[in-house]
Amino acid sequence: MGAPAELLGQLSANRWFGALPLAQRRAMLAAASLAHFRAGEMLFRRGDPAGRFYCVISGVLKASTLLEDGKEAILSLLEPGNWFGEISLLDDQPRTHDMTALGDAQVLVLPRDEFDALMGNAVFARAMAMLLASRIRMLYSMVEDATLRSTRARVARRLLALARGDVSMSSASRTVLPVSQEALAMMLGITRQTLSKELKVLVAQGALALRYGCMEITSLATLETLGAAG
């Protein structure tokens, strides 16, 4: 049984999915099914074989890597509208990271054979290339930040990325970011103490306000100025 038809309008708000021809969007929803995950439940683990193509419908998922010593790095937070899981489907190699539901979540699941059939269409294949290009740009930006920019600039730039939905990169920025300080520190690969010090500076400069379980951007312009600094 395919996904509910009413999801078409909701998911088409995502720039990547919305740019696909209507027939392909409908075909994807018809072939996909809805799966439910509880908080802490994993969709897949690093090293798992290539499986399926996914889209977040509700809730938030965490893409992360956990080392044997217990140290965790959060690569990104995936929010509703984001599609993911294509890398292993394209190169037929194992999953590169863990994917975990942070709370109750609904995920659209497109089977491997349906994905392969869509890849036989030149328009869809080009769309996948564009999706991968956007991810590569984001990764290059993260590498540049880690090697060339100060910790304060890195914090500001990651907050700006989260304001645009991180991996979805919406053109409109939101002000309230549903991310904890612990999660942000793991995204940046810095200690909680270092992040706390930098956040206090952003608060003092009027760029940010700290709320319970979230952060609020109070001056986007100030945050952009800090992010542009070396």
Side-chain angles (χ1 to χ4, degrees):
M1 181 178 178
E6 58 266 24
L7 286 177
L8 179 63
Q10 174 188 336
L11 297 182
S12 293
N14 175 272
R15 288 189 297 172
W16 178 79
F17 186 72
L20 290 172
L22 179 58
Q24 288 189 351
R25 282 179 279 157
R26 285 176 171 166
M28 290 174 69
L29 294 185
S33 59
L34 277 175
H36 301 262
F37 295 89
R38 297 184 300 273
E41 194 171 355
M42 301 184 75
L43 283 72
F44 52 77
R45 296 177 181 273
R46 181 180 181 181
D48 282 352
R52 295 164 286 184
F53 193 40
Y54 303 92
C55 178
V56 185
I57 301 300
S58 66
V60 179
L61 304 181
K62 173 182 69 174
S64 64
T65 297
L66 184 65
L67 300 181
E68 292 182 359
D69 62 3
K71 187 176 181 180
E72 182 181 19
I74 297 180
L75 308 176
S76 63
L77 298 179
L78 280 73
E79 300 180 71
N82 279 305
W83 292 82
F84 63 96
E86 74 285 347
I87 294 176
S88 291
L89 295 175
L90 293 172
D91 65 8
D92 205 28
Q93 296 296 308
R95 295 293 188 184
T96 59
H97 52 268
D98 301 333
M99 188 65 70
T100 311
L102 290 183
D104 290 342
Q106 279 189 313
V107 177
L108 197 64
V109 182
L110 185 71
R112 172 70 183 267
D113 58 346
E114 297 291 344
F115 179 86
D116 289 343
L118 283 166
M119 283 298 295
N121 180 284
V123 174
F124 184 82
R126 177 173 172 77
M128 289 306 308
M130 295 297 291
L131 182 62
L132 285 173
S134 69
R135 300 207 200 284
I136 291 171
R137 285 182 180 274
M138 182 185 71
L139 290 172
Y140 280 164
S141 178
M142 291 170 61
V143 171
E144 177 184 299
D145 289 351
T147 55
L148 299 177
R149 298 187 185 276
S150 68
T151 302
R152 187 164 305 158
R154 289 178 59 206
V155 172
R157 289 170 67 86
R158 196 57 189 254
L159 289 172
L160 289 169
L162 289 167
R164 296 191 299 273
D166 205 354
V167 296
S168 60
M169 293 293 101
S170 171
S171 57
S173 296
R174 59 188 172 179
T175 56
V176 178
L177 312 180
V179 61
S180 67
Q181 293 187 38
E182 181 180 9
L184 183 58
M186 285 191 284
M187 289 181 191
L188 294 164
I190 59 178
T191 65
R192 179 74 180 273
Q193 292 75 16
T194 297
L195 176 64
S196 179
K197 181 180 69 174
E198 297 299 341
L199 291 177
K200 287 179 181 178
V201 174
L202 298 187
V203 170
Q205 296 196 15
L208 196 69
L210 303 180
R211 310 296 186 199
Y212 180 75
C214 67
M215 304 178 197
E216 181 181 358
I217 298 175
T218 50
S219 175
L220 193 62
T222 301
L223 200 61
E224 288 174 341
T225 298
L226 292 169

